[in-house]
Amino acid sequence: MQGRLRRLLRAPPPRNLLCRVLSSSPTGCDGGGGGGGSGVAVKQVTRGNLAEALEELRVRVREAAFVGLDLEMSGVTSAPWRDTFELDRADVRYLKLRDSAERFAALQLGVCPFRWDPAKSAFVAHPHNFFIFPRKELTSDGSSHEFLCQTTSIDFLAKYQFDFNTCFCEGISYLSRAQEEEALQKLNLLHQGRTAASSTTSEKDVDMPLNSAADILFTKRMKMNFKEWRDVVVSKPMADSNLSGNIKCTLGQFQTVFFKMRPAIMLNGFSSHQLKLIQQVLRKNFRDLVYVCTFGEDDTSEKRVVYSDTDEDKILLMKDVQEDLLKNREARVKSAIGIRHVIDLLSLEKKLIVGHSCFLDIAQLYSKFVGPLPSSIKEFALSIHKIFPHIADTRHLMSANQVVQKLMMKKSKSLSSAFSLLCPLSAEKPSGLVPVRIEVEGDETMSSCFISGAKHEAGYDAYMTGCVFAQLCTYLDIKFEQLSSQDNLASNTKLQRHINSLSPSWNSGTVLDLSTGMERPDPGYMRRYPLAVHDNIVLIWGFLSKVKPKEIKDCICKVFGPGSVTSIFAIDSTAALVQFKKQESVNDFLDLKAVLERTDSAISIVHPLSTILEGGQTRAAKYETYRDICSSSESKYLFADQAEAVCTNSKNQLQENINDDPVSGVRQSILDGVGLTSVNKGDGTKSGSKNQDDADVTCQDILAILHDSRALSGRRV
Amino acid sequence: MAAPRAAAAAASAKQVTRQNFAEAVRELRAHLQACDYVAVAVQKTGAPTGWRRALPVDTAETAYLKAKHAAESFQPLQIAVCPFRLRNSSTSTLVAYPYNFHLFPRDELQLGMPTYSFSCQSSYLSTMANDGFDFNICIYDGISYLSRVQESLARKKIFNPCLRQLLPSSNTSVADSVFMSRIKSRIVHWRKGYADPSKKYDDCLVGSLSRLILGGELYGSRPSMSIDVCSDRQVQLVLEAVNHISDDLVSLIVPDKAGAARAVRVIFTSSKEDKNLLLMDIQKLEDEQNFKFRGFREVIDLLSFSQKPIISYNCLNDLTMMHTKFIAPLPPNMHEFMCSLKMVFSNVVDISHMWRQIGPLRKAKNIQAALSYLQKQYFVPMEIELPQQDGTSSVIKNEQNVLRITKLFAKLSYLLKIGPECQLQSGEQFTAVEEYCNIFYPSCMVEESDGVDFAIESDTKKSVSTDNIVFLWGFREKSVNELKSYLIGLHQAFSHDFEVKLLDMTCSALIFRNSDTAMQLLKEISSEDPSLNSFFSEGLKGAGFEVYRKVCRLGLWDSDLAKAFDDVSSELGASTLSECRNSQIYWNSSLMLDLKEYLEC
């Protein structure tokens, strides 16, 4: 009660709503291309108007030539080191993207169908903005429904007046396909179990001891009341009960109602403990009174005591109730699908989906509305291809055309910059090409759910993406004039070459072909780093924070020779990837590091690598370990912490420990080879420290020894 | 008795955002001084669910690890602080000044602090939304903060020009005096250009030319000049020189990227008033900067400094959160946490520990239940004053919580005769509030329902050794009763007396009366005794408390408990299973952590 009151008292329209309405200066929405950020009516869809919006959208999508899509998320990377880097291997990059898609929530979905109107020779756009919130709709659903927010992303959304209140209050929730299937399966199992149980005897025969006077008195009173009521019902069988279903007669304490054409009492206002006592009374004393619990419309449970005269009738009644329950639950599962209907609808219509830099968006959609993301990028590509057979990425398209490339040169490739460049107000014309006319159609009724679009609102971004796409098509020499009103642009031959090619990330330098799942290099991409050879890479972490990447490179070069390191890349302040020129250097480095750590002698102190090893927390491993660390569900802010957490948790030990044998061999031979006469050969550390003064070894020596010992241990095995 | 209720419903705390923060802190400081206690309540973005909650099988240590995990992943969105004064005479008078601070961890300094990301629980957020929580205010205008540790990190990275006190001059060497006189003449020469009224340049070209020649620049609208320095000694000398020249010069130390003084900026002020104005401007700038460095933490520092007892509910969760966000990262174990916390807040009272001192109240599940019970059963005459009304009528959940804590504390302290004064008029002794300090109850249930349902929390407060517990998983969703009857047929150990508690959907704890039975069973499980064939063939698995402790210590919070157990026990192997099992006591049903036990001091 109080809650409802408070809800009513709640702050009236959110501030940003007002802001947006006010800022929608009458620039006119049908000026070819639309204004620079406002004046475009975007339909806002929340829980309240989803059903109606869906019906309308279905029609719009069916007519559309293509559909613009955009997603706003609660974050992008869960830790700085989870950013995608240019030198990431494809599988690592996918792991990073998958982590992002799984951890963060989708908060807004923008869908904007574009219909070609031959009469106006213009596109007609219908931007929709759906608020999403991963509310837990089904109680049976065990997942925790936790999501991550990246502080900067949330702050960014706030800067663009994102309405969090609407999102969290009125956002539409969803079930993915996998979740729906699971819920239905669970339901069926439950139903089977129930019917089986109820046919034998009542479910729980465990007696509750009545240990307080209040309980005993309450039980007695209830027994009397029920008896009284039952006697009345039995004594005057209401022959016309079927007809007078709504007649309520008050008998003593209870109001008689009818439930499935049987006389019944509503049990209102009892505590759960009292209800348990009532059940016990009924079970013990009344064979012909049945306790029935059903669910009303708004999820409130309704408890009744129903009179049923015979055992057969009782079974019939229970079966009836169970089936109702099943239907009710199924309906709830169906309604819990929520916003996924939009995705199902788009998938069903097989229209061309257009996004801007949309790989992450698509991965988010998959993880939220289809199911857990597959383990490899190939599987992901193939299964997304089944759902959306035609996807175009405007960012990729921009690099597909020379003219556009020239136009966009040295400009930001962000959506808004592309939009302002390619879709200017009708007055200007870029590079002589006639821009495609685009109109936005508001609702005839102009209801309150339309507000003027603004940058970084999913609905408006979807619209901008579509506009950019339409203009790009003209550069690709696609003639819309030949398009009939319900044609899917996906079948256009000139476009074929460019669709279903997505860049996994802006700095991947590759393009993923969704139809084959193969990743190929993007010829138009300008690399910042030399091409990575992942077998030559060593991951180092845990060094002191004062050590800079340059110093790491320098001191490795001191040992392995100048030019032995092709590049070094700092993951964050605690970790770096070092790429060697030669692959064998990787093992050499790892072995040398292990040796230096185990021999507690002057060698390790004066050795050039001591800069890196200082502090004793420095660890190193091959690139595979980097992948393992990225695949972990842990999320620590610093890479070194993450790596430690993963390594202590995971069963597979690290590189260092696997190499245990050769290392001990090396240690042995280091001592022998250097010519130290040790009293106690078995105890390497002891003898090493004894002869600190002699430890005048050059790096070349150590390396030579390393190679020898490697051969040696190889022979031993 | 209806009066206070109504008053509380209409009462509203001062809502504080970054707009009115400075003013609110000033008021709070005064109120804190005048008050005896401070009630604190935190509104978070989520609470642990499933087995990540504190469970009846948790020891203090594992409960702490769980609270730590929750504190680190979730984010406080509002912190209500309510200093209050309590006078217990014939009727007690409660004067309370509730404040509700809205928080958002905005990265004010662009250093990736206070937090890169945080977790939200959707069910938690939607309940908050339904209760009228305004997320927009919070996110748009919430106050940011840095913890003490983060501040010191940030101070090492960002340096701002600042004033410095002139130290009493030590003996100066010849070189020093040469340096000083050189600087002095430079400044005097430069100052002449502005101070000498006859040389006032009206022409702006001449003005800028002179600036160019004299090496001056502008500080805001005032002329200034930079003197490069390369040591702290030189800074000192420059300051001394400036001090000798005139009173109308203000010097600011300009630091380089590493924080060492790079230059001294001498600013010329035209009059005494102008100088004051400048100093005020500098002060304001510094305050703004301090706000960025501390933000809301200033309130925590105030609370800490005031040394007033902190009254809170759900203490373990709230204080671990406050510790990790505002003080320092949480230490790995409870003992260190307590030591660290005591340095900040010496007296923390868990209100639920207090109400458990009143026999019949022991069963109360939450504040509302306790309050309504008190309302019904005890007559506590009380006047409540909330002098600080700011007109808005809506009551936000979090401040409601803090007011409830305040009220409940007032009533309990009346009943338990706790008071700041030592003597009642009648000569009765007051107990000191310290008696109740630092004993936390990890709340087993999230405060989900506002219901006043007393219901079934068993009254039996028994201690069981961790040796008596066997964790069991691998059963497919079964209820407690199903599981119990199903187990009895599997092995003779299950014919002994034991209790079953489901910890989550996948794992349950069996609590044996007799620790020998449990130990024996565990031994047989780890040695895969043939008598357990039917147990294993059903896919069941078991482990002792040590494995559970390890699960908590490793922080395998992401998976369900069965999976976490699988991961850890397969790694531990049979060998480590039985070692280092020191028996610890845990509390069934009503957990209590006496933190004093964790402090030898």
Side-chain angles (χ1 to χ4, degrees):
Chain A
M1 188 69 152
Q2 223 179 357
R4 193 178 301 165
L5 197 75
R6 247 179 280 139
R7 226 167 296 160
L8 287 175
L9 285 173
R10 239 186 55 245
R15 170 153 45 130
N16 69 326
L17 231 155
L18 274 174
C19 269
R20 276 193 188 164
V21 172
L22 292 175
S23 67
S24 69
S25 49
T27 34
C29 13
D30 47 358
S38 64
V40 173
V42 178
K43 181 163 186 164
Q44 305 293 317
V45 188
T46 58
R47 270 203 291 187
N49 59 345
L50 174 68
E52 160 223 348
L54 265 178
E55 283 321 301
E56 193 227 287
L57 186 67
R58 200 180 298 278
V59 180
R60 302 285 181 225
V61 170
R62 198 161 290 156
E63 299 169 343
F66 64 94
V67 182
L69 202 69
D70 187 67
L71 210 57
E72 292 298 329
M73 294 160 280
S74 66
V76 181
T77 48
S78 58
W81 57 267
R82 288 231 200 229
D83 251 333
T84 53
F85 306 134
E86 187 184 273
L87 41 74
D88 281 339
R89 203 166 61 191
D91 57 341
V92 169
R93 189 178 307 115
Y94 176 67
L95 285 172
K96 288 176 172 177
L97 292 165
R98 190 173 77 163
D99 172 82
S100 165
E102 280 170 352
R103 268 180 214 279
F104 294 104
L107 298 179
Q108 264 185 356
L109 170 68
V111 177
C112 183
F114 285 78
R115 171 172 59 92
W116 178 252
D117 190 332
K120 291 183 192 164
S121 93
F123 275 111
V124 181
H126 297 272
H128 287 68
N129 190 40
F130 294 88
F131 280 92
I132 313 178
F133 187 66
R135 202 173 289 103
K136 186 174 181 169
E137 293 280 7
L138 297 176
T139 41
S140 63
D141 167 19
S143 50
S144 66
H145 288 263
E146 252 176 61
F147 62 89
L148 209 60
C149 292
Q150 195 180 342
T151 314
T152 44
S153 300
I154 297 292
D155 201 29
F156 175 84
L157 287 176
K159 228 167 255 153
Y160 289 96
Q161 308 286 313
F162 185 93
D163 189 348
F164 294 96
N165 285 343
T166 308
C167 188
F168 297 167
C169 266
E170 298 295 322
I172 310 156
S173 85
Y174 53 84
L175 284 186
S176 72
R177 291 184 181 179
Q179 283 169 324
E180 183 198 355
E181 209 167 289
E182 198 193 318
L184 286 177
Q185 233 167 35
K186 237 184 214 171
L187 252 182
N188 282 327
L189 271 177
L190 196 74
H191 180 64
Q192 280 161 16
R194 278 279 173 83
T195 42
S198 67
S199 61
T200 53
T201 39
S202 48
E203 302 148 39
K204 283 183 226 158
D205 284 341
V206 205
D207 274 359
M208 276 204 309
L210 303 174
N211 39 19
S212 76
D215 283 358
I216 295 169
L217 287 175
F218 178 80
T219 307
K220 263 191 187 150
R221 237 258 311 280
M222 281 297 129
K223 195 169 150 187
M224 257 167 56
N225 287 346
F226 284 131
K227 189 168 181 322
E228 196 180 310
W229 179 77
R230 204 255 326 251
D231 290 346
V232 174
V233 171
V234 173
S235 67
K236 29 175 180 173
M238 300 177 197
D240 55 343
S241 61
N242 306 355
L243 306 170
S244 57
N246 286 326
I247 293 176
K248 289 178 183 172
C249 32
T250 316
L251 270 175
Q253 279 253 321
F254 298 119
Q255 258 194 351
T256 304
V257 292
F258 286 91
F259 179 73
K260 303 220 177 266
M261 297 188 293
R262 296 169 182 94
I265 313 166
M266 289 292 282
L267 298 174
N268 289 334
F270 290 103
S271 74
S272 60
H273 179 66
Q274 286 172 328
L275 285 171
K276 274 188 194 144
L277 290 174
I278 289 175
Q279 275 171 275
Q280 187 162 317
V281 169
L282 294 173
R283 205 165 50 229
K284 281 191 173 164
N285 305 297
F286 303 95
R287 278 196 66 79
D288 46 4
L289 295 187
V290 189
Y291 178 85
V292 173
C293 177
T294 57
F295 289 94
E297 280 163 20
D298 48 346
D299 249 15
T300 51
S301 62
E302 290 172 357
K303 283 119 188 161
R304 293 183 182 82
V305 173
V306 185
Y307 172 77
S308 100
D309 44 4
T310 61
D311 275 358
E312 295 90 78
D313 186 53
K314 202 163 142 187
I315 291 168
L316 215 64
L317 172 69
M318 286 318 289
K319 209 178 149 198
D320 219 15
V321 169
Q322 292 296 346
E323 252 150 40
D324 273 8
L325 198 66
L326 180 70
K327 266 185 210 145
N328 179 291
R329 291 234 168 97
E330 269 171 355
R332 265 166 56 199
V333 171
K334 288 283 169 226
S335 79
I337 290 172
I339 189 92
R340 204 196 81 216
H341 282 301
V342 176
I343 302 304
D344 287 352
L345 178 163
L346 290 176
S347 167
L348 195 71
E349 297 294 338
K350 296 196 168 23
K351 293 287 168 159
L352 175 65
I353 305 290
V354 181
H356 184 84
S357 222
C358 65
F359 188 89
L360 191 58
D361 290 6
I362 300 283
Q364 264 280 0
L365 288 181
Y366 191 98
S367 130
K368 299 296 182 284
F369 306 126
V370 180
L373 283 164
S375 52
S376 77
I377 195 163
K378 184 169 179 184
E379 279 172 73
F380 167 71
L382 295 179
S383 35
I384 206 73
H385 190 60
K386 276 188 207 132
I387 295 161
F388 298 127
H390 318 286
I391 302 178
D393 192 317
T394 43
R395 195 177 163 118
H396 175 70
L397 276 177
M398 284 196 285
S399 60
N401 183 281
Q402 300 270 313
V403 184
V404 182
Q405 252 184 345
K406 209 175 267 170
L407 204 68
M408 294 296 292
M409 203 133 67
K410 293 203 179 123
K411 292 216 170 66
S412 150
K413 293 220 171 97
S414 75
L415 177 59
S416 51
S417 117
F419 181 75
S420 55
L421 197 78
L422 293 170
C423 319
L425 297 167
S426 49
E428 318 155 33
K429 285 177 187 173
S431 64
L433 266 170
V434 185
V436 187
R437 279 197 348 115
I438 294 168
E439 291 179 5
V440 179
E441 207 166 77
D443 201 0
E444 302 75 40
T445 52
M446 257 342 250
S447 57
S448 60
C449 60
F450 280 90
I451 59 175
S452 172
K455 223 156 80 171
H456 297 294
E457 171 204 77
Y460 187 69
D461 276 6
Y463 162 77
M464 289 205 290
T465 308
C467 293
V468 169
F469 175 73
Q471 308 303 340
L472 284 173
C473 280
T474 59
Y475 286 99
L476 293 173
D477 199 29
I478 292 165
K479 299 276 183 292
F480 297 118
E481 284 72 27
Q482 293 145 12
L483 213 62
S484 71
S485 63
Q486 293 213 357
D487 262 359
N488 190 349
L489 209 56
S491 49
N492 187 300
T493 43
K494 280 180 187 144
L495 207 56
Q496 279 305 319
R497 231 155 31 88
H498 304 293
I499 63 173
N500 288 330
S501 297
L502 298 188
S503 259
S505 74
W506 64 273
N507 57 3
S508 68
T510 57
V511 173
L512 176 72
D513 187 338
L514 292 179
S515 56
T516 61
M518 300 313 279
E519 216 173 328
R520 57 186 153 82
D522 179 3
Y525 181 77
M526 306 282 278
R527 300 197 73 88
R528 285 190 57 208
Y529 294 88
L531 204 64
V533 185
H534 297 102
D535 285 338
N536 296 7
I537 287 182
V538 170
L539 166 71
I540 307 176
W541 74 89
F543 43 82
L544 297 181
S545 57
K546 61 171 192 199
V547 181
K548 299 278 168 290
K550 177 86 172 57
E551 295 170 51
I552 296 178
K553 185 176 175 177
D554 288 350
C555 62
I556 294 177
C557 283
K558 265 187 215 155
V559 182
F560 289 85
S564 57
V565 175
T566 39
S567 64
I568 182 156
F569 180 82
I571 296 170
D572 67 4
S573 63
T574 64
L577 293 169
V578 178
Q579 181 174 336
F580 287 98
K581 200 167 184 182
K582 295 189 200 118
Q583 196 183 331
E584 53 271 25
S585 306
V586 171
N587 281 326
D588 290 348
F589 176 80
L590 291 175
D591 292 348
L592 176 60
K593 176 179 169 289
V595 172
L596 288 172
E597 277 167 350
R598 291 186 186 208
T599 45
D600 178 25
S601 68
I603 308 176
S604 50
I605 298 164
V606 298
H607 197 276
L609 282 189
S610 62
T611 323
I612 307 176
L613 301 182
E614 200 186 332
Q617 299 295 313
T618 308
R619 311 260 261 140
K622 290 184 179 173
Y623 195 78
E624 289 308 314
T625 309
Y626 180 53
R627 194 207 54 203
D628 294 344
I629 291 168
C630 286
S631 76
S632 155
S633 61
E634 290 275 340
S635 189
K636 302 270 193 258
Y637 177 68
L638 292 176
F639 184 86
D641 295 342
Q642 168 86 7
E644 282 319 300
V646 172
C647 294
T648 45
N649 286 1
S650 74
K651 280 160 263 169
N652 51 330
Q653 294 296 301
L654 276 169
Q655 185 64 33
E656 303 183 318
N657 306 357
I658 297 166
N659 276 7
D660 215 5
D661 237 21
V663 163
S664 63
V666 168
R667 187 171 65 190
Q668 197 65 49
S669 50
I670 248 194
L671 300 167
D672 297 343
V674 174
L676 307 174
T677 46
S678 58
V679 192
N680 189 351
K681 268 198 178 177
D683 197 343
T685 44
K686 221 178 190 176
S687 54
S689 54
K690 263 186 187 170
N691 295 291
Q692 274 187 2
D693 303 341
D694 300 87
D696 189 11
V697 205
T698 65
C699 314
Q700 271 69 26
D701 287 343
I702 296 177
L703 274 178
I705 294 156
L706 276 173
H707 278 292
D708 290 347
S709 73
R710 189 156 264 287
L712 203 85
S713 61
R715 249 180 282 139
R716 260 188 227 150
V717 177
Chain B
M1 288 314 287
R5 255 194 112 75
S12 80
K14 188 178 183 80
Q15 303 300 322
V16 189
T17 61
R18 54 178 166 168
Q19 258 86 32
N20 59 345
F21 180 68
E23 163 206 351
V25 165
R26 265 197 305 281
E27 288 173 25
L28 179 69
R29 184 175 291 137
H31 287 148
L32 269 175
Q33 243 153 30
C35 285
D36 310 316
Y37 308 100
V38 193
V40 175
V42 185
Q43 176 76 64
K44 297 163 238 168
T45 56
T49 53
W51 70 277
R52 287 163 286 268
R53 289 172 302 167
L55 297 168
V57 292
D58 276 315
T59 61
E61 200 60 55
T62 54
Y64 168 71
L65 289 171
K66 287 176 173 184
K68 174 173 184 272
H69 170 68
E72 283 163 355
S73 34
F74 298 117
Q75 181 64 33
L77 287 181
Q78 280 183 351
I79 293 189
V81 174
C82 178
F84 61 97
R85 200 164 54 223
L86 203 57
R87 291 288 169 267
N88 286 339
S89 45
S90 55
T91 59
S92 46
T93 327
L94 168 68
V95 186
Y97 304 92
Y99 292 81
N100 196 21
F101 293 90
H102 297 254
L103 304 185
F104 186 72
R106 202 173 303 99
D107 188 0
E108 301 273 10
L109 295 166
Q110 312 288 322
L111 288 175
M113 292 196 276
T115 179
Y116 188 80
S117 62
F118 56 89
S119 263
C120 294
Q121 203 167 60
S122 60
S123 56
Y124 219 77
L125 292 190
S126 52
T127 322
M128 280 161 77
N130 287 337
D131 286 336
F133 189 96
D134 193 332
F135 291 94
N136 287 349
I137 287 197
C138 223
I139 296 169
Y140 296 176
D141 277 333
I143 308 150
S144 190
Y145 57 85
L146 289 186
S147 74
R148 289 185 183 175
V149 168
Q150 284 172 329
E151 183 187 346
S152 64
L153 280 176
R155 296 257 186 216
K156 279 183 204 146
K157 285 188 183 148
I158 295 179
F159 300 94
N160 292 96
C162 58
L163 295 168
R164 195 189 286 180
Q165 285 298 314
L166 180 64
L167 299 168
S169 64
S170 52
N171 49 336
T172 43
S173 66
V174 182
D176 284 348
S177 49
V178 170
F179 176 79
M180 244 170 90
S181 61
R182 195 163 52 81
I183 296 295
K184 209 167 164 179
S185 73
R186 252 183 84 192
I187 298 174
V188 168
H189 184 64
W190 163 78
R191 185 178 160 272
K192 236 187 246 161
Y194 301 96
D196 198 344
S198 62
K199 279 195 185 167
K200 265 269 181 288
Y201 303 112
D202 291 327
D203 192 11
C204 82
L205 177 72
V206 181
S208 54
L209 252 174
S210 80
R211 213 175 298 133
L212 214 67
I213 293 157
L214 293 168
E217 44 204 286
L218 279 181
Y219 182 85
S221 58
R222 295 177 184 88
S224 80
M225 76 178 292
S226 268
I227 296 161
D228 291 342
V229 290
C230 52
S231 72
D232 255 14
R233 178 74 193 144
Q234 287 190 349
V235 172
Q236 193 60 31
L237 294 174
V238 173
L239 289 185
E240 238 171 89
V242 169
N243 203 33
H244 286 176
I245 298 167
S246 164
D247 220 21
D248 55 12
L249 295 177
V250 176
S251 21
L252 275 180
I253 318 291
V254 182
D256 64 3
K257 268 188 184 158
R262 180 170 57 85
V264 176
R265 197 147 190 203
V266 184
I267 305 157
F268 176 78
T269 56
S270 55
S271 64
K272 190 107 190 131
E273 294 82 64
D274 191 41
K275 184 180 176 180
N276 284 339
L277 227 59
L278 175 67
L279 288 176
M280 258 159 67
D281 278 354
I282 291 171
Q283 186 59 43
K284 215 171 121 195
L285 221 66
E286 212 174 292
D287 286 349
E288 269 168 34
Q289 207 57 33
N290 278 340
F291 176 68
K292 283 185 181 168
F293 276 112
R294 280 204 286 270
F296 171 75
R297 210 196 72 234
E298 193 155 355
V299 173
I300 299 296
D301 289 346
L302 274 180
L303 292 187
S304 166
F305 185 71
S306 77
Q307 302 226 320
K308 307 279 161 146
I310 306 281
I311 321 292
S312 177
Y313 172 66
N314 211 348
C315 270
L316 190 62
N317 282 327
D318 282 7
L319 284 154
T320 42
M321 175 160 281
M322 281 165 47
H323 188 284
T324 182
K325 305 295 178 200
F326 307 125
I327 314 297
L330 285 165
N333 62 58
M334 184 95 174
H335 173 76
E336 283 175 51
F337 166 67
M338 275 319 295
C339 290
S340 174
L341 185 68
K342 271 208 104 159
M343 311 262 260
V344 185
F345 302 125
S346 44
N347 292 317
V348 180
V349 178
D350 191 330
I351 193 89
S352 58
H353 173 62
M354 275 180 76
W355 83 56
R356 279 174 169 87
Q357 304 309 305
I358 296 177
L361 263 177
R362 194 168 295 147
K363 288 193 278 177
K365 269 184 174 170
N366 52 32
I367 300 188
Q368 283 96 309
L371 261 179
S372 77
Y373 185 83
L374 281 183
Q375 202 94 294
K376 274 185 257 166
Q377 303 294 325
Y378 293 90
F379 176 69
V380 183
M382 181 167 299
E383 272 171 39
I384 299 178
E385 271 177 58
L386 296 157
Q388 186 176 263
Q389 303 279 351
D390 64 357
T392 47
S393 57
S394 66
V395 177
I396 293 171
K397 184 87 185 264
N398 198 39
E399 59 180 80
Q400 207 176 328
N401 281 342
V402 84
L403 282 172
R404 278 192 189 127
I405 295 174
T406 307
K407 258 194 300 179
L408 187 57
F409 179 82
K411 291 191 175 178
L412 289 170
S413 65
Y414 180 85
L415 293 170
L416 294 168
K417 308 211 178 344
I418 300 169
E421 307 103 312
C422 285
Q423 289 249 293
L424 260 181
Q425 284 134 336
S426 57
E428 240 179 309
Q429 278 288 318
F430 265 117
T431 7
V433 73
E434 280 76 15
E435 301 261 306
Y436 298 94
C437 277
N438 302 338
I439 298 174
F440 295 173
Y441 283 82
S443 70
C444 277
M445 48 271 158
V446 194
E447 205 184 342
E448 276 159 356
S449 59
D450 271 9
V452 198
D453 210 1
F454 243 78
I456 12 113
E457 192 184 337
S458 66
D459 206 8
T460 50
K461 186 176 165 188
K462 58 182 176 192
S463 305
V464 184
S465 158
T466 51
D467 284 343
N468 296 26
I469 306 173
V470 174
F471 291 88
L472 187 80
W473 69 99
F475 51 89
R476 278 135 304 202
E477 295 176 17
K478 285 188 169 62
S479 73
V480 168
N481 287 322
E482 282 169 345
L483 189 63
K484 204 165 175 181
S485 54
Y486 162 78
L487 282 176
I488 286 170
L490 288 180
H491 190 255
Q492 50 172 31
F494 301 115
S495 56
H496 295 276
D497 192 13
F498 68 94
E499 261 181 78
V500 180
K501 274 215 160 76
L502 277 180
L503 305 181
D504 71 352
M505 297 292 273
T506 63
C507 184
S508 68
L510 313 182
I511 298 126
F512 286 88
R513 266 300 124 72
N514 186 342
S515 65
D516 293 342
T517 324
M519 305 274 261
Q520 184 61 29
L521 178 64
L522 282 174
K523 208 172 279 167
E524 283 173 17
I525 287 174
S526 64
S527 64
E528 306 196 341
D529 197 88
S531 68
L532 280 160
N533 276 350
S534 51
F535 175 87
F536 288 124
S537 61
E538 288 285 327
L540 287 173
K541 288 176 176 177
F545 198 84
E546 210 39 54
V547 184
Y548 178 66
R549 194 173 290 155
K550 175 122 198 208
V551 164
C552 293
R553 217 167 24 218
L554 284 179
L556 302 175
W557 310 112
D558 286 337
S559 46
D560 50 39
L561 195 48
K563 191 174 172 302
F565 264 119
D566 269 335
D567 287 356
V568 171
S569 57
S570 64
E571 187 191 347
L572 272 175
S575 58
T576 44
L577 264 176
S578 48
E579 70 185 39
C580 71
R581 184 180 293 137
N582 55 334
S583 65
Q584 263 188 353
I585 302 301
Y586 75 97
W587 289 266
N588 197 24
S589 66
S590 69
L591 305 101
M592 180 178 81
L593 309 178
D594 189 344
L595 299 179
K596 282 169 191 154
E597 281 178 16
Y598 282 84
L599 293 170
E600 298 98 324
C601 41

